[in-house]
Amino acid sequence: MPMLLPGADAVKHWLGFTEQVARLLGSRPGRFAPDVALVSRSASPEQLLELASVLGLEPTEDEPRAGARIPALPARTAPFTFRTDLGPTVWVILERHYGVPTSFDVQVFADGPSTLRIAQPVRLNGRAGALVRFSGEPLLGLPARPSIAELVHPDAQWRDGKLQLAFLPITDRFRMSST
C-alpha cells in the first residue's frame, strides 16, 4: 500500500503513527521481504534512513518477495524490515484479479439458440456484478475483433484472447441466451 510521507522531522511528531504503521504491517496476511520499500525522488539516503529509524524499521538485504499461504500464517511481529534501493514500479504496475474463477462446459448448438445458466461461485450481499470470460475450441477460429464479439452478444468484448461480458447488477443466478 503506497504511502506518501513527509520527512522524519514531521513524522516523529505524529501521535501514534509509528504504532499504526506497525499494526498495519503486522496485520497483513502472508510473508513479505522487505516489509517496507522507502523511495523518494527528493530525500537523501540519510533522510530515508532517519525516517526508517523513526518508524522502527530494521534494514535488510533480503531479496524482494511477497506471498500468501492457506491457511494464513500467524501475524507478523516487529521488527519490520526496509530497503531503500528498490524501485516501486513492480508493486504498482500489475494486473489485479478479483473474485473467484470457476470453469464449466457449455453445449453450443449450431442450429438454434444456446442458453447459459450460471450460479455465482460466491455468495452475494447487496449489489454485485460478474465478469464472465468465455474461452475454448468454439472461439479459437474467430478473429478477435469487436464486430465478431458483438455477434455473440451486443456487449461482449475481446480481452487476453477470451471473450468477456460484464453483468451488472446480477442476482445469485443469471442467464444468457445467444441466437
Side-chain angles (χ1 to χ4, degrees):
M1 110 185 88
M3 296 176 83
L4 181 62
L5 298 174
D9 289 338
V11 170
K12 68 183 173 186
H13 298 293
W14 292 0
L15 296 177
F17 185 69
T18 300
E19 293 79 14
Q20 290 175 9
V21 169
R23 194 167 35 256
L24 282 172
L25 294 174
S27 68
R28 297 180 304 167
R31 290 288 181 242
F32 301 90
D35 291 295
V36 175
L38 293 175
V39 180
S40 176
R41 288 179 28 178
S42 59
S44 69
E46 293 78 21
Q47 291 171 315
L48 291 177
L49 293 174
E50 184 182 358
L51 178 59
S53 176
V54 167
L55 296 175
L57 304 173
E58 299 286 331
T60 185
E61 292 184 12
D62 290 348
E63 286 301 311
R65 74 177 190 285
R69 186 183 299 164
I70 297 175
L73 297 167
R76 298 256 301 125
T77 57
F80 298 106
T81 59
F82 78 97
R83 283 183 57 176
T84 60
D85 60 341
L86 301 174
T89 306
V90 296
W91 291 302
V92 296
I93 299 179
L94 54 102
E95 183 176 342
R96 298 187 185 270
H97 297 274
Y98 298 97
V100 176
T102 187
S103 296
F104 49 87
D105 293 326
V106 176
Q107 177 67 44
V108 178
F109 298 101
D111 60 347
S114 300
T115 300
L116 173 65
R117 289 181 186 86
I118 300 173
Q120 280 283 43
V122 293
R123 198 171 130 227
L124 301 173
N125 286 329
R127 182 178 161 86
L131 178 64
V132 178
R133 287 192 175 152
F134 302 94
S135 63
E137 209 169 313
L139 300 177
L140 290 178
L142 299 177
R145 294 195 302 255
S147 59
I148 302 300
E150 289 175 13
L151 292 173
V152 175
H153 191 279
D155 298 323
Q157 299 176 352
W158 290 100
R159 170 83 189 239
D160 299 328
K162 297 176 180 149
L163 196 61
Q164 74 178 20
L165 187 58
F167 293 89
L168 291 167
I170 62 166
T171 58
D172 286 341
R173 297 179 182 276
F174 60 99
R175 192 181 107 191
M176 184 187 104
S177 294
S178 67
T179 55

